[in-house]
Amino acid sequence: MAQKAFCVAKHATAPSSNARDHAAGIVVPFRQKLLPHHRHYLAKWLAASERMGVLDASIEAAPEQRTDDANLVVIWVRENTNPAYIISLSGPEWILTDCLRDNELGRYRNLSEALHTIRPVLPLHQTDAATS
């Protein structure tokens, strides 16, 4: 089931040829990765979201990449057996993609903002546990 999510994630995180192409120097953004506090926040968010139709969420590795950086947050809802959303990492950004429509919904500074866009069930704080 998650295969489509991985295809969408690969498309969503592909480098674009926008402002970086005409930059004077080479910019190397830092890479984030999913850490234990992200997993804890995801579990807390999932527990709060289930009453609103979220069926499951998991952190999965992309099949073609074996590094920890290749993890995706895959989210299923009750309406469909295919993943509904994916959250992937691209440099310092968390990219939220509507997997059913293959549409990028936004880029966020932290995981909690991306999850809040899907279901606003936990309050957002400046010192959120999922800030990185």
Side-chain angles (χ1 to χ4, degrees), residues 2-115:
Q3 192 62 28
K4 181 179 177 185
F6 296 123
C7 292
V8 173
K10 187 175 181 181
H11 172 71
T13 59
S16 63
S17 60
N18 55 13
R20 278 194 237 165
D21 289 346
H22 64 274
I26 297 174
V27 176
V28 180
F30 73 91
R31 287 205 47 92
Q32 296 188 71
K33 62 182 182 177
L34 287 158
L35 300 172
H37 69 272
H38 295 125
R39 295 173 190 275
H40 175 73
Y41 189 86
L42 179 63
K44 187 175 170 182
W45 177 84
L46 180 61
S49 297
E50 284 184 340
R51 68 178 184 275
M52 296 178 69
V54 174
L55 177 63
D56 195 15
S58 67
I59 296 172
E60 301 187 17
E64 69 277 356
Q65 297 175 331
R66 305 233 188 266
T67 66
D68 290 337
D69 296 343
N71 288 336
L72 303 172
V73 177
V74 182
I75 300 167
W76 289 266
V77 295
R78 296 185 197 287
E79 294 87 21
N80 196 318
T81 59
N82 292 323
Y85 302 97
I86 56 166
I87 301 172
S88 56
L89 292 164
S90 179
E93 297 178 312
W94 298 82
I95 301 171
L96 173 61
T97 304
D98 177 342
C99 197
L100 299 175
R101 293 171 191 83
D102 192 14
N103 182 34
E104 183 180 307
L105 299 175
R107 293 174 180 249
Y108 303 91
R109 293 175 299 143
N110 55 54
L111 177 61
S112 60
E113 289 177 357
L115 291 171

